[in-house]
Amino acid sequence: MVGRAVVVGAGMAGLASAGALSRSGWRVTLLERAERVAAPPTALVLWPNGRRALEALDPSGGWSSIASPLPDGGVRRPDGQWLVTPRGRAGSGPAPAAVRLEDLYDVLIAGLGDYVQMRTGFAVTTIRTGPGLRPSVSDGRTTIEADLVVAADGIDSCVRRALAPEAAAVGSGFADWQAVVPAYRLSSEHTTGGETLGAGYRFISIPLGVGKGVYWVATAAGAPRPESPATQLELLRRWFAGWPEPVGELLAATSPEDLVPHEVRELRPLPRAYGFPSGPGGVVLLGDAAHAMPHHLGQGACLAFEDAATLAALVSDAPPGPDLVAAIEMYCRLRRPRTTSVVRQTRRMSAVVQARGRLALRARDAALNHMRPRMMAPTPDWSPPD
């Protein structure tokens, strides 16, 4: 029996899930609140677990042609002193890589296949579940039933609020700013990235490959700023003045139109469950709808791809009925402990980024001599279920 799925949200997690389900024979309706699907003009790092997940989701590997190897640039203080010196990559498995979101979205959309129907301008407002009921979603005008509903609608997920209201989206005490600087604005080709840690401030630069420019992320403790992008950019230049290059060059080459500011938010507590059986199937939470966390370890998108790969593997041979219900329950048993562990480590990294005061900074600097802050999450030990 061919199953029918509704995927709510056409971001990275939703696109990856819809494509993987369709490739295993599911008929999928992909719902997006916005009038069109558009990638943010930023980038991300695919850590080894994220690369394994994408390989499981799409064995054709179309995404690999758009990814660039991520060099290890080390960690410095604002005075230029090394806290973690650059070194060659250790360990086995796929190497970390950087990819522009616009390129990744293009690949994910191209991989949706003929079994996916996309509907934009569809803002889900209600979800119905219950014993004996096929789960359904509605925008107040149209109701769509399915055997499986995948909630990939982000940290403000309407589906999660209905099924797991205990999980609230709260501020993490940080704001961040991101941008991609085109290569033509830079004086030279940047081949090494890295990060600089100050007292409550952090700056990360990531080269995107030859001729593709540099992606940077700046983080500051405190609330998001209300000023215009131009004023916020001037504030960033002032806050990070005197920091070692390429910080100054990248900020100088950034225009206000490039700047993407965020309030860093997270779910506290995490939902009690990621799977909710209903009738012949049920609902699953995926990506930020399930485990939104601060970006300090760069694991948000990678965990979302893990979610999608796990779900696709579990339901590929699970027809609607007891088999699909069992697959949904197994998804929850596999994913919640995994994401809880990574969220816990991300919160520990928050304390490192927030360190202020002489004693706290001295303790932080000593600890960083023995660890690599952007790779603390247990990324190498994950692989998709058989």
Side-chain angles (χ1 to χ4, degrees):
M1 179 188 295
V2 175
R4 293 189 175 272
V6 168
V7 177
V8 183
M12 285 182 293
L15 290 169
S17 302
L21 289 171
S22 71
R23 282 188 288 276
S24 61
W26 284 75
R27 296 196 174 273
V28 182
T29 301
L30 178 59
L31 305 177
E32 169 56 35
R33 173 188 297 268
E35 292 300 328
R36 65 187 186 92
V37 176
T42 57
L44 63 81
V45 172
L46 293 170
W47 296 107
N49 57 317
R51 294 194 62 170
R52 286 193 182 97
L54 280 174
E55 289 165 0
L57 286 164
D58 185 3
S60 67
W63 61 270
S64 61
S65 64
I66 61 172
S68 299
L70 179 68
D72 180 2
V75 185
R76 291 181 292 182
R77 296 193 325 195
D79 62 6
Q81 178 179 331
W82 288 105
L83 298 173
V84 179
T85 56
R87 67 192 74 172
R89 179 177 171 266
S92 59
V99 59
R100 287 177 62 111
L101 290 188
E102 291 163 330
D103 296 335
L104 184 58
Y105 269 59
D106 287 344
V107 171
L108 293 174
I109 291 171
L112 288 178
D114 296 334
Y115 292 147
V116 178
Q117 176 193 24
M118 185 185 297
R119 298 184 60 175
T120 57
F122 194 108
V124 171
T125 56
T126 57
I127 181 163
R128 184 191 68 175
T129 59
L133 293 176
R134 289 181 85 203
S136 65
V137 296
S138 173
D139 66 349
R141 297 167 297 179
T142 304
T143 299
I144 303 175
E145 287 189 349
D147 303 301
L148 174 67
V149 173
V150 179
D153 48 344
I155 189 171
D156 295 312
S157 169
C158 170
V159 178
R160 187 199 64 248
R161 286 199 300 268
L163 299 180
E166 70 280 359
V170 300
S172 297
F174 296 91
D176 83 17
W177 297 261
Q178 305 179 30
V180 171
V181 181
Y184 70 84
R185 293 192 203 154
L186 301 172
S187 60
S188 61
E189 188 71 49
H190 288 247
T191 58
T192 59
E195 65 182 275
T196 309
L197 274 175
Y201 295 89
R202 186 188 193 194
F203 194 97
I204 301 172
S205 63
I206 299 170
L208 297 175
V210 177
K212 296 181 180 179
V214 178
Y215 167 56
W216 63 259
V217 182
T219 304
R225 304 292 303 196
E227 296 91 350
S228 68
T231 301
Q232 292 188 51
L233 184 56
E234 287 303 316
L235 284 171
L236 290 172
R237 290 168 179 163
R238 187 185 314 159
W239 292 342
F240 293 96
W243 284 39
E245 293 298 349
V247 177
E249 181 187 5
L250 291 175
L251 289 174
T254 302
S255 69
E257 294 75 23
D258 301 322
L259 199 64
V260 181
H262 294 109
E263 178 187 14
V264 181
R265 296 190 295 157
E266 61 186 293
L267 291 182
R268 281 184 180 262
L270 294 179
R272 67 186 186 281
Y274 291 167
F276 303 86
S278 179
V283 182
V284 298
L285 305 180
L286 189 148
D288 281 352
H291 44 70
M293 68 190 79
H295 65 280
H296 303 311
L297 293 178
Q299 277 293 313
C302 294
L303 288 181
F305 293 141
E306 283 187 22
D307 293 343
T310 301
L311 178 66
L314 293 173
V315 306
S316 61
D317 296 318
D323 289 347
L324 180 56
V325 170
I328 290 171
E329 292 171 342
M330 178 58 71
Y331 171 82
C332 183
R333 287 197 294 272
L334 291 175
R335 294 309 300 158
R336 200 175 185 287
R338 164 67 173 166
T339 58
T340 299
S341 174
V342 178
V343 167
R344 187 180 302 118
Q345 295 188 55
T346 299
R347 289 173 180 166
R348 286 202 290 267
M349 186 59 187
S350 292
V352 171
V353 177
Q354 281 182 313
R356 292 184 176 186
R358 185 189 309 174
L359 293 178
L361 290 172
R362 187 176 298 170
R364 179 203 69 186
D365 293 353
L368 286 172
N369 285 322
H370 304 287
M371 68 181 183
R372 317 198 112 206
R374 292 193 349 247
M375 300 190 70
M376 284 195 303
T379 57
D381 61 354
W382 182 88
S383 58
D386 296 330

